[in-house]
Amino acid sequence: PLIEHSLGAEELQRAIDFSCRYNHMQLRAAEIQANRLAQNDLLHDFCAEAKIQFLDLTPALEQNAAAGRAVYFPDDAHWNAAGHEVAAQELAKFLALQQ
């Protein structure tokens, strides 16, 4: 969502098409969007079944990013210092609720 917001749908699809040339895959932005949280859902379900507490940081990171705070490095999907701060704050809240 952040990239599409920044680039627009057409430019995003052109970037995906460019990347796919090298791995000989055909992907559509809508497919990526529809499945982007699949790993989160799988891990959530696994943890629930195993009775393991689970904290998904995606909503907090997305909320901060949507508010204009850069929580990722501009050239990849890794957290920058602000992203780590968000993660630490959310983890602290999560752990406080476990006591």
Side-chain angles (χ1 to χ4, degrees), residues 5-25:
H5 179 73
S6 296
L7 297 179
E10 289 180 21
E11 184 65 24
L12 174 58
Q13 189 58 58
R14 280 195 293 275
I16 292 169
D17 292 343
F18 178 80
S19 296
C20 289
R21 285 186 215 153
Y22 297 101
N23 60 20
H24 308 290
M25 295 177 63

Side-chain angles (χ1 to χ4, degrees), residues 46-82:
F46 171 82
C47 289
E49 186 175 316
K51 296 184 180 22
I52 298 169
Q53 294 293 320
F54 176 74
L55 173 62
D56 186 353
L57 296 170
T58 304
L61 290 162
E62 286 182 341
Q63 182 179 28
N64 275 263
R69 186 173 187 196
V71 293
Y72 300 101
F73 286 108
D75 57 350
D76 68 28
H78 291 92
W79 305 336
N80 60 18

Side-chain angles (χ1 to χ4, degrees), residues 12-13 16 20 27-37:
L12 174 58
Q13 189 58 58
I16 292 169
C20 289
L27 294 173
R28 296 281 144 243
E31 294 168 347
I32 295 169
Q33 175 69 9
N35 294 298
R36 73 182 187 87
L37 298 178

